Amino acid sequence: MRSASAHSARGPGAERSPARDRPPDRQPAPPRERLFRLPFGPRTVAGEVFFLQVSVIVLLMVAVVVAFVLHARWSSTRQANKQSLAVATTFARSPDVLAGLESKDPTAALQPRAEAVRKATKVSYVVVWKPDGTRVTAPQRDLIGKRVAGPVQDLVDNAREGRSTTKTLQAAPGLTVNSAVPVTRPDGTLAGLVSTGVTVSRVNEGVKRQLPVLLMSAAGALLLASGTAALVNRRLRRQTHGLGPEEMTRMYEHHDAVLHAVREGVLIVDETGRLVLVNNEARRLLELPEDAEGHPVDQVGLGAGMLGLLTSGRAASDEVHLAKGRLLAVNIRSTRSGEGPPGRVATLRDTTELHALEGRAEGARERLRLLYEAGVRIGSTLDVTRTAEELTEVAVPRFAEFATVELLDPVLRGEEPSAARTDMRRTAMSGVRDDAPLLPVGAVVRTVETLRGHAEEAGEHSVLEADLRQADAWLAQQPDHGRRALEYGIRSLISTPLQARGVLLGSVDFWRTDRSDPYGDDDVAFAEELAARAAVSIDNARRYTRENAMAVTLQRSLLPRGLPEQDALDVASRYRPTRAGVGGDWFDVIPLPGARVALVVGDVVGHGLHAAATMGRLRTAVLNFSSLDLTPEELLAHLDELVDRIDQDQTSESNGATVTGATCLYAIYDAVSGRCTVARAGHPGPALVAPDGTVDYPEVPVGLPLGLGGAPFETAELHLPPESQLVLFTDGLVEDRERDIDDGLALLRRTLTGHPGRSPEDTCRAVLDTLLPAEPSDDIALLVARAQVLDPEQVAQWEVPADSGAVAPLRAQVSRKLAEWGLEEASFTTELILSELVTNAIRYGSEPIRVRLLHQSRLTCEVSDGSSTSPHMRRAAATEEGGRGLFLVAQLAERWGTRYTPHGKVMWTEQNLHPEEHRPEEDADSLLDQWGESL
């Protein structure tokens, strides 16, 4: 017979209790004296019990201390793994880390953040490094830029596959738990890695701090237990003189009840592979038979996976295995010698519901990631169509297999949807395949009537069709397309309206085929959230499109519609807007009297409506100033004063939109002399292409930009040989974010060099093909003018004495010259004009008096004298003998005017050389009729 001490030493799992093993009809246990008959005599049983109790307590305390230390260290190390991986993952997936890595100075962008995270989380280090091993951040700044120590290729390989790596390695601080997490770009490529570490010595400090307290607690518990055992032993000796079998049976029954009541399966397998112990939970989880104990593990109906794990001989920690339709977390440890027979202990925990919850949580996390990605990708441009395409690209394939967006026609034009009936047109479509039988992009899906501010009242709400085969209303809208879609395999649909500010913009449809799960109510909520975010971006793009269209319309109305007719220059021009569509660059070709032409190129800093409006004001001012026939430096001075006044007006209105920074170049070319006078205000100088194809940048004094004032403008005289080209441009042509202005000027020189005889149109085309960026950041104005010099035979001039008798001979000379030019029909009109102008110069002007005729497409008559007094046209009374000369000149000439020179003034007229359209006899008669008074 086994003694009580033997039962106590073997423990609850070593042998079944007598009560459980005893058949129902078995006789009661033998008397206590027979069970506890020991060599030491009957009275030593109480002493033996006392000794065993103390021994068991001591062993339990030691086991508890050792188990606590081991478990605390294991738990702390595991916590360190989790902490290191969590910190690295959080830091790597921060939105600013990728941008910082790809910035010009990654260390400046990421070092402060890495140190802040290291101090906040109390990890040993946070290191960001590139795939080649170069550190970007480090706790010691002298390590930045150096390669990471040790082999890193396996870490980089795992990172390229999107996997994180956690290892325990020997580092400078000591044995360290290190985690390396990849930082990936949106396209999945590796941008860098984030490594964090926690030293094992710091992990163990918590265990060391708790160990004295535990030992003291154990010692106190031991003392208390010893005292208690002594009292119990004393009481036992006094009352029973030994331990009875009923108490031992009851103790085993309690242990057995606890073993079978816990919600964790327990299996004990001996060294021969037999099941020694199976509790009720393990029997339920593995569906074992009632008599499984004592049988080999390969004969109790275990699955292949669980059987292989139990017989493999290896340890396992929280490994998840599928058994009998359940996901079980399995832990296996070997029993240690001295604590029982050799074998293996396995614990099983049912995690099926936990994994289901984790699956739902992972689905929610995936939806949040998709919403975050939508916030980043949708609305990257201010284009309505592109924004709709981005919405479909985000949804496919992670939420839908096909996605389509339909927008109202006014939205596509940038207009506000109204209450009128309008078409909803398919704007974007994405899918996992290209052969889906859905309406193509550009097709009208349906016609709707939008009510501003009442989209929900108009019935616009999300529609869920979990099974399109039963959606009769959907099939009735497009019967042919619906049947083809069903035959293709499309089975489920969510149609969600795109609404912003209470206005219906369109709708987005998400489609799934029979290869995916049908949509549910949870998917509708996500679709509405995704559509709401996209609708805001689409509305912003629509409003930008409207405002940009307004600005572009304004700018185009302010730029010249075409180049005017003139004979001095052969001109070609180009204008290219910026990506924003509206800028402040402009150009002009302004014909001036006397075979002269003014060339203007200007630039207003900035973009948008303000820049376009300012450009229009400056261009109008230049046109008005040029009508006064001012020299280039005078015109720029007046323009500078105008810009200064505009700035003062803007400042007084407190809107801060000044135009300081505008530049301008103004040039006047004289086709008679071949001279070009140029002045510039902060603008790039021109390029001069000689007739032989060589290129030069002539020296033109540069003045301050318009509006700064305080310094006069200077001019430069350029000689333009016949067939030479003058190239004027704005800085957007030669300067860009990726190109310095010197490099741009050198590239422009190479483009213009070596092409003699090339037309201005070909020059413009070649320059833009070479220098125009793919996406210009600034608008560009280009003006190419080829010089034409008048033949000396087309110019006639005479010196006229200050004598009224010189008028008649002059008229005769002019008549003969017109006859040489074949302009006899214009002789009468020209003689009348010259008679009046020369008579005025003789009577009111001063010497020298000169007359010049220029024969071009029009006939120009010029009379100059040394006086700066300009005559004015007036209405003469009937009793006055004079005062009708300028009135006659104004009626006979197509244009006339006065320009001032450093030595006096010039009166000029231009005449039409088409007699069939302009008869001087009829003009003379009509002039006489206009006076309407008898002389």
Side-chain angles (χ1 to χ4, degrees), residues 322-356:
L322 180 64
K324 304 298 182 179
R326 298 182 179 91
L327 292 174
L328 304 181
V330 183
N331 291 274
I332 298 180
R333 295 289 184 273
S334 297
T335 58
R336 291 175 296 176
S337 59
E339 295 187 359
R344 296 163 58 79
V345 178
T347 60
L348 313 173
R349 188 171 62 256
D350 191 355
T351 62
T352 305
E353 295 183 0
L354 178 61
H355 277 270

Short mmCIF file of all heavy atoms in Angstrom, two decimals, residues 322-356:
data_model
loop_
_atom_site.label_atom_id
_atom_site.label_comp_id
_atom_site.label_asym_id
_atom_site.label_seq_id
_atom_site.Cartn_x
_atom_site.Cartn_y
_atom_site.Cartn_z
N LEU A 322 -4.65 24.23 -37.29
CA LEU A 322 -6.04 23.89 -37.55
C LEU A 322 -6.27 22.45 -37.14
O LEU A 322 -5.60 21.53 -37.63
CB LEU A 322 -6.36 24.09 -39.03
CG LEU A 322 -7.80 23.75 -39.46
CD1 LEU A 322 -8.78 24.70 -38.76
CD2 LEU A 322 -7.93 23.87 -40.98
N ALA A 323 -7.23 22.25 -36.25
CA ALA A 323 -7.55 20.90 -35.78
C ALA A 323 -9.05 20.80 -35.56
O ALA A 323 -9.62 21.57 -34.78
CB ALA A 323 -6.79 20.58 -34.49
N LYS A 324 -9.65 19.85 -36.25
CA LYS A 324 -11.09 19.61 -36.10
C LYS A 324 -11.91 20.87 -36.37
O LYS A 324 -12.89 21.14 -35.67
CB LYS A 324 -11.41 19.06 -34.71
CG LYS A 324 -10.65 17.80 -34.33
CD LYS A 324 -10.96 16.63 -35.26
CE LYS A 324 -10.23 15.38 -34.84
NZ LYS A 324 -10.54 14.23 -35.73
N GLY A 325 -11.48 21.68 -37.35
CA GLY A 325 -12.22 22.89 -37.68
C GLY A 325 -11.98 24.06 -36.76
O GLY A 325 -12.66 25.07 -36.87
N ARG A 326 -11.04 23.92 -35.84
CA ARG A 326 -10.75 25.00 -34.90
C ARG A 326 -9.31 25.45 -35.08
O ARG A 326 -8.43 24.65 -35.42
CB ARG A 326 -10.98 24.55 -33.45
CG ARG A 326 -12.41 24.15 -33.12
CD ARG A 326 -12.51 23.77 -31.65
NE ARG A 326 -13.87 23.41 -31.27
CZ ARG A 326 -14.34 22.17 -31.32
NH1 ARG A 326 -13.54 21.18 -31.72
NH2 ARG A 326 -15.58 21.92 -30.96
N LEU A 327 -9.07 26.73 -34.80
CA LEU A 327 -7.72 27.27 -34.79
C LEU A 327 -7.22 27.25 -33.36
O LEU A 327 -7.74 27.96 -32.49
CB LEU A 327 -7.71 28.70 -35.35
CG LEU A 327 -8.01 28.84 -36.84
CD1 LEU A 327 -8.10 30.31 -37.23
CD2 LEU A 327 -6.96 28.14 -37.69
N LEU A 328 -6.23 26.40 -33.08
CA LEU A 328 -5.73 26.20 -31.74
C LEU A 328 -4.34 26.80 -31.61
O LEU A 328 -3.47 26.58 -32.46
CB LEU A 328 -5.68 24.71 -31.40
CG LEU A 328 -7.00 23.93 -31.54
CD1 LEU A 328 -6.78 22.46 -31.16
CD2 LEU A 328 -8.09 24.56 -30.70
N ALA A 329 -4.13 27.56 -30.51
CA ALA A 329 -2.80 28.05 -30.16
C ALA A 329 -2.16 27.01 -29.25
O ALA A 329 -2.66 26.73 -28.16
CB ALA A 329 -2.89 29.41 -29.47
N VAL A 330 -1.05 26.43 -29.70
CA VAL A 330 -0.44 25.29 -29.03
C VAL A 330 0.88 25.70 -28.41
O VAL A 330 1.71 26.38 -29.06
CB VAL A 330 -0.22 24.13 -30.03
CG1 VAL A 330 0.34 22.91 -29.29
CG2 VAL A 330 -1.53 23.78 -30.73
N ASN A 331 1.09 25.30 -27.15
CA ASN A 331 2.38 25.46 -26.46
C ASN A 331 2.83 24.07 -26.01
O ASN A 331 2.05 23.32 -25.40
CB ASN A 331 2.25 26.37 -25.24
CG ASN A 331 2.00 27.82 -25.63
OD1 ASN A 331 2.90 28.57 -25.89
ND2 ASN A 331 0.71 28.18 -25.68
N ILE A 332 4.08 23.72 -26.30
CA ILE A 332 4.62 22.40 -25.95
C ILE A 332 5.96 22.60 -25.25
O ILE A 332 6.82 23.34 -25.75
CB ILE A 332 4.80 21.51 -27.19
CG1 ILE A 332 3.44 21.26 -27.87
CG2 ILE A 332 5.44 20.18 -26.81
CD1 ILE A 332 3.55 20.39 -29.10
N ARG A 333 6.10 21.96 -24.10
CA ARG A 333 7.35 21.98 -23.37
C ARG A 333 7.67 20.56 -22.88
O ARG A 333 6.76 19.75 -22.62
CB ARG A 333 7.27 22.91 -22.15
CG ARG A 333 7.07 24.37 -22.49
CD ARG A 333 8.32 24.96 -23.11
NE ARG A 333 8.16 26.38 -23.34
CZ ARG A 333 7.63 26.92 -24.44
NH1 ARG A 333 7.19 26.11 -25.41
NH2 ARG A 333 7.54 28.21 -24.58
N SER A 334 8.94 20.30 -22.73
CA SER A 334 9.37 19.00 -22.18
C SER A 334 9.38 19.06 -20.66
O SER A 334 9.73 20.08 -20.07
CB SER A 334 10.78 18.64 -22.69
OG SER A 334 10.78 18.50 -24.08
N THR A 335 8.99 17.96 -20.03
CA THR A 335 9.06 17.90 -18.57
C THR A 335 10.51 17.74 -18.16
O THR A 335 11.29 17.02 -18.81
CB THR A 335 8.23 16.73 -18.04
OG1 THR A 335 8.73 15.52 -18.63
CG2 THR A 335 6.76 16.89 -18.40
N ARG A 336 10.89 18.40 -17.07
CA ARG A 336 12.26 18.36 -16.62
C ARG A 336 12.48 17.18 -15.66
O ARG A 336 11.61 16.82 -14.88
CB ARG A 336 12.62 19.67 -15.91
CG ARG A 336 12.68 20.85 -16.88
CD ARG A 336 12.90 22.13 -16.13
NE ARG A 336 11.77 22.42 -15.25
CZ ARG A 336 11.73 23.45 -14.41
NH1 ARG A 336 12.79 24.24 -14.33
NH2 ARG A 336 10.68 23.66 -13.66
N SER A 337 13.68 16.60 -15.69
CA SER A 337 13.99 15.49 -14.80
C SER A 337 13.98 15.97 -13.36
O SER A 337 14.37 17.09 -13.06
CB SER A 337 15.38 14.92 -15.14
OG SER A 337 16.38 15.93 -15.01
N GLY A 338 13.54 15.15 -12.48
CA GLY A 338 13.46 15.50 -11.07
C GLY A 338 12.09 15.99 -10.69
O GLY A 338 11.77 16.06 -9.51
N GLU A 339 11.27 16.39 -11.67
CA GLU A 339 9.92 16.86 -11.36
C GLU A 339 8.86 15.89 -11.87
O GLU A 339 7.69 16.19 -11.88
CB GLU A 339 9.69 18.25 -11.96
CG GLU A 339 10.57 19.32 -11.36
CD GLU A 339 10.21 20.70 -11.86
OE1 GLU A 339 9.27 20.80 -12.68
OE2 GLU A 339 10.84 21.68 -11.44
N GLY A 340 9.28 14.81 -12.36
CA GLY A 340 8.34 13.82 -12.84
C GLY A 340 8.98 12.98 -13.91
O GLY A 340 10.14 13.20 -14.31
N PRO A 341 8.27 12.03 -14.41
CA PRO A 341 8.83 11.17 -15.46
C PRO A 341 9.03 11.98 -16.74
O PRO A 341 8.34 12.95 -16.98
CB PRO A 341 7.76 10.09 -15.63
CG PRO A 341 6.50 10.72 -15.15
CD PRO A 341 6.91 11.64 -14.04
N PRO A 342 10.02 11.61 -17.58
CA PRO A 342 10.25 12.35 -18.82
C PRO A 342 9.04 12.28 -19.74
O PRO A 342 8.34 11.26 -19.80
CB PRO A 342 11.48 11.66 -19.42
CG PRO A 342 11.50 10.30 -18.81
CD PRO A 342 10.93 10.46 -17.43
N GLY A 343 8.82 13.35 -20.45
CA GLY A 343 7.67 13.43 -21.35
C GLY A 343 7.51 14.85 -21.86
O GLY A 343 8.41 15.68 -21.78
N ARG A 344 6.31 15.12 -22.41
CA ARG A 344 6.03 16.41 -22.99
C ARG A 344 4.65 16.89 -22.56
O ARG A 344 3.72 16.09 -22.51
CB ARG A 344 6.08 16.35 -24.53
CG ARG A 344 7.47 16.01 -25.05
CD ARG A 344 7.44 15.55 -26.51
NE ARG A 344 6.86 16.52 -27.40
CZ ARG A 344 7.51 17.60 -27.86
NH1 ARG A 344 8.75 17.82 -27.45
NH2 ARG A 344 6.93 18.45 -28.68
N VAL A 345 4.54 18.16 -22.24
CA VAL A 345 3.28 18.76 -21.81
C VAL A 345 2.83 19.73 -22.90
O VAL A 345 3.62 20.58 -23.33
CB VAL A 345 3.42 19.49 -20.46
CG1 VAL A 345 2.10 20.13 -20.07
CG2 VAL A 345 3.90 18.53 -19.40
N ALA A 346 1.59 19.59 -23.33
CA ALA A 346 1.04 20.47 -24.35
C ALA A 346 -0.21 21.15 -23.81
O ALA A 346 -1.05 20.49 -23.17
CB ALA A 346 0.70 19.69 -25.62
N THR A 347 -0.31 22.45 -24.04
CA THR A 347 -1.53 23.19 -23.69
C THR A 347 -2.16 23.71 -24.97
O THR A 347 -1.46 24.15 -25.91
CB THR A 347 -1.20 24.36 -22.75
OG1 THR A 347 -0.28 25.25 -23.39
CG2 THR A 347 -0.61 23.86 -21.45
N LEU A 348 -3.48 23.68 -25.01
CA LEU A 348 -4.24 24.07 -26.20
C LEU A 348 -5.22 25.17 -25.82
O LEU A 348 -5.89 25.09 -24.80
CB LEU A 348 -5.01 22.87 -26.77
CG LEU A 348 -4.23 21.55 -26.92
CD1 LEU A 348 -5.18 20.44 -27.33
CD2 LEU A 348 -3.11 21.72 -27.92
N ARG A 349 -5.28 26.19 -26.68
CA ARG A 349 -6.21 27.30 -26.45
C ARG A 349 -6.96 27.59 -27.74
O ARG A 349 -6.36 27.78 -28.80
CB ARG A 349 -5.45 28.55 -25.99
CG ARG A 349 -6.36 29.69 -25.54
CD ARG A 349 -5.57 30.81 -24.90
NE ARG A 349 -4.60 31.42 -25.81
CZ ARG A 349 -3.30 31.21 -25.80
NH1 ARG A 349 -2.77 30.37 -24.90
NH2 ARG A 349 -2.48 31.80 -26.65
N ASP A 350 -8.29 27.61 -27.65
CA ASP A 350 -9.14 27.84 -28.83
C ASP A 350 -9.11 29.33 -29.21
O ASP A 350 -9.53 30.18 -28.42
CB ASP A 350 -10.57 27.38 -28.53
CG ASP A 350 -11.43 27.36 -29.81
OD1 ASP A 350 -10.93 27.78 -30.87
OD2 ASP A 350 -12.60 26.95 -29.72
N THR A 351 -8.58 29.64 -30.40
CA THR A 351 -8.47 31.04 -30.86
C THR A 351 -9.32 31.29 -32.11
O THR A 351 -9.06 32.24 -32.85
CB THR A 351 -7.00 31.39 -31.16
OG1 THR A 351 -6.53 30.54 -32.22
CG2 THR A 351 -6.15 31.22 -29.93
N THR A 352 -10.29 30.42 -32.34
CA THR A 352 -11.10 30.58 -33.56
C THR A 352 -11.82 31.91 -33.56
O THR A 352 -11.76 32.68 -34.54
CB THR A 352 -12.11 29.43 -33.67
OG1 THR A 352 -11.41 28.18 -33.61
CG2 THR A 352 -12.88 29.54 -34.98
N GLU A 353 -12.52 32.22 -32.48
CA GLU A 353 -13.25 33.48 -32.41
C GLU A 353 -12.28 34.67 -32.42
O GLU A 353 -12.56 35.71 -33.01
CB GLU A 353 -14.11 33.51 -31.16
CG GLU A 353 -15.23 32.48 -31.16
CD GLU A 353 -16.10 32.60 -29.92
OE1 GLU A 353 -15.80 33.48 -29.09
OE2 GLU A 353 -17.07 31.82 -29.79
N LEU A 354 -11.13 34.50 -31.76
CA LEU A 354 -10.15 35.58 -31.75
C LEU A 354 -9.66 35.88 -33.15
O LEU A 354 -9.52 37.04 -33.55
CB LEU A 354 -8.98 35.21 -30.84
CG LEU A 354 -7.84 36.22 -30.75
CD1 LEU A 354 -8.37 37.54 -30.19
CD2 LEU A 354 -6.71 35.69 -29.90
N HIS A 355 -9.41 34.82 -33.93
CA HIS A 355 -8.96 35.04 -35.30
C HIS A 355 -10.07 35.66 -36.15
O HIS A 355 -9.79 36.46 -37.05
CB HIS A 355 -8.50 33.72 -35.92
CG HIS A 355 -7.09 33.35 -35.56
ND1 HIS A 355 -6.01 33.75 -36.30
CD2 HIS A 355 -6.58 32.65 -34.50
CE1 HIS A 355 -4.90 33.29 -35.76
NE2 HIS A 355 -5.21 32.61 -34.65
N ALA A 356 -11.30 35.28 -35.86
CA ALA A 356 -12.40 35.92 -36.59
C ALA A 356 -12.45 37.41 -36.28
O ALA A 356 -12.62 38.25 -37.18
CB ALA A 356 -13.72 35.25 -36.22
#
